[in-house]
Amino acid sequence: MFNLRFVIAAAVLASAPAVSAAQEVTLPWILHVGAHEVSPTSNTGRLAGMRAGIDSDSQPTVSIEYRFTPNWSAEVLAALPFRHQVRLDGGNAVSVKQLPPVLGVNYRFLPERTVSPFLGVGVNRTHFFSAHGENALQGASVDVGDSWGIAWHAGVDIALSDRLIFTVDARYIDIDAKVKVNGAGVGTAHVDPWVYGFSVGYRF
């Protein structure tokens, strides 16, 4: 999980000059490059009658954003594949990769200020792939189904210049994936992760 160093960095950078609303309208596109951690809920339900848990993973991320107005924008988030270990009763049982793209809208409360908090909401589709069993499930055919859900978004933008932005953000994503072992359903994994991260954005 990312720690408070990003919040501290945000506070230090708050002395940068403010960017006017007019500048934001004339530079509507923003390319963000950063890194995020997917941290699933501590209790992901029960699979095959056993308590399930999923570990966290961090990967580089990229998003493209378009600002319709100084306050409103649409954004698409993508990342390199995240890899997770699924544990059953505390022991590793499944290794799986996933891609969780998000399409959403954001509302910035103070777009004319150097520091601008925002809230957003979007739709997430999580695609699971390359699942394989380990230990007791070694050699078993494991399938983790894809998931559609709502993604809530909150964060803070810090203007570094007319074109550069530093962003700290968090998402809560509703991810519920059905799991099958050797073709038989064994339950639903309620992943429901928090996604924490930071990025540097370039307006153009």
Side-chain angles (χ1 to χ4, degrees), residues 24 44 58 61 66 86 105 126 134 201:
E24 291 192 285
T44 57
S58 301
T61 55
Y66 182 81
V86 181
V105 294
T126 298
E134 299 179 346

Side-chain angles (χ1 to χ4, degrees), residues 126-128 143-148 175-180:
T126 298
H127 173 58
F128 292 93
D143 178 70
V144 181
D146 292 350
S147 169
W148 288 87
I175 300 177
D176 297 316
K178 295 185 181 298
V179 181
K180 294 181 180 180

